[in-house]
Amino acid sequence: MEWSRLDTVVCDIDGVVVIGDQSVPGARAALEKLRAAGLTVLFITNNSTKTREMVADRIDRIVGYRTGAATIITSGWATGLFIKGEVSCAYVLGSDGLRATLRETGVAQTSDWQEADAVVVGLDFEVTYRKLVEAALAVQNGARLYATNTDASYPSPEGLYPGAGALVSVIETATGTEAVPCGKPNPPMRQLLDDFVAGPAMMVGDRPETDIALGKAEGWVTALVLTGVTRTLREVDASYAPDMVLDSIAGLPERLGL
Ligand SMILES: [Mg+2]
């Protein structure tokens, strides 16, 4: 692959440019160098807790890299665009940011599980047993089950927190119903990418089964960074083998000859 012919770099966020509320060292300089070289830098996240605007602000605040909502692709947004024509009213187990994102995409919502014809599950830092009960009841009542993403965990400086996938599993286990996954590397997320990425692209991520899988499915060059959930290449299943391994995104410009 001729690196000089890339025109887009698509970066995962958690574990790649930020860890919890800290920047990955050198992330800002690397991103600015990519942009200065004329590359389009996009961010794609399975984290559904925030709106696109909130994600752009978070990158600005933590990393110090200024960008706008137009460069941000989230699993919540992909979920909303995917289900808006298919469902009339969703029960949401997720954050306020997910609710706002679904509103932006035109998905009506209800807090009454009996009215819902869809259940959307995302990461919810305020999950309660009652919310899990209501989501499960809605599914038993015939509502379709969607997962913004199925990431098992969420990296923090303390270690791995349970991710949206862990919450989705609770509903799946209780109801015997499998959720439709909407985030990386699944079709609802991939359908969006045609509008963002035209030419040769690179995917930079820390999670092989979502980030590297997405990059491979799209035919992009893939780079695995070791600042997030993956600590060594030995942990990576052969089917997700990346084209490039980097200790950190800080080293990417040099690897691209920039
Ligand atoms: Mg990540």
Side-chain angles (χ1 to χ4, degrees):
M1 171 75 193
E2 179 109 35
W3 308 124
S4 60
R5 295 184 54 198
L6 285 176
D7 53 43
T8 305
V9 174
V10 184
C11 289
D12 175 43
I13 301 174
D14 287 291
V16 176
V17 297
V18 303
I19 298 169
D21 58 2
Q22 296 163 18
S23 178
V24 167
R28 174 187 179 168
L31 293 168
E32 286 178 348
K33 207 168 233 183
L34 297 173
R35 187 162 59 183
L39 290 160
T40 298
V41 179
L42 302 174
F43 298 94
I44 188 166
T45 179
N46 268 358
N47 185 332
S48 63
T49 62
K50 296 177 175 64
T51 64
R52 297 168 72 207
E53 198 76 52
M54 290 161 72
V55 173
D57 288 348
R58 178 170 177 245
I59 292 171
D60 186 359
R61 181 169 44 82
I62 298 175
V63 180
Y65 176 82
R66 300 209 60 170
T67 191
T71 68
I72 310 293
I73 303 164
T74 72
S75 66
W77 192 49
T79 304
L81 293 177
F82 183 67
I83 71 172
K84 70 174 176 184
E86 293 190 3
V87 308
S88 54
C89 205
Y91 179 92
V92 180
L93 179 76
S95 66
D96 291 345
L98 175 59
R99 266 183 269 278
T101 300
L102 293 173
R103 259 196 310 278
E104 282 171 18
T105 59
V107 174
Q109 295 162 53
T110 178
S111 55
D112 180 352
W113 63 267
Q114 298 186 69
E115 287 177 1
D117 64 353
V119 171
V120 177
V121 181
L123 183 54
D124 185 350
F125 296 120
E126 284 159 14
V127 66
T128 62
Y129 187 72
R130 184 62 199 172
K131 286 192 200 174
L132 295 167
V133 166
E134 290 180 355
L137 289 172
V139 171
Q140 289 168 70
N141 202 33
R144 285 191 252 179
L145 179 59
Y146 299 92
T148 60
N149 62 301
T150 51
D151 294 35
S153 62
Y154 174 79
S156 87
E158 280 182 305
L160 300 178
Y161 290 178
L167 299 182
V168 172
S169 298
V170 174
I171 310 302
E172 289 181 328
T173 304
T175 62
T177 300
E178 216 175 300
V180 176
C182 297
K184 293 174 285 183
N186 302 292
M189 186 65 114
R190 292 188 55 201
Q191 284 170 17
L192 275 179
L193 296 171
D194 294 344
D195 294 334
F196 282 89
V197 182
M202 167 181 267
M203 177 73 210
V204 185
D206 67 316
R207 195 183 287 272
E209 67 275 21
T210 54
D211 299 325
I212 304 305
L214 177 75
K216 284 181 178 290
E218 293 291 320
W220 300 343
V221 181
T222 54
L224 180 75
V225 294
L226 304 178
T227 43
V229 296
T230 308
R231 289 300 171 171
T232 72
L233 188 58
R234 282 194 302 279
E235 299 163 29
V236 178
D237 187 279
S239 57
Y240 303 128
D243 298 304
M244 182 189 288
V245 181
L246 296 163
D247 288 340
S248 155
I249 194 171
L252 181 59
E254 195 185 342
R255 285 291 283 276
L256 295 180
L258 303 177

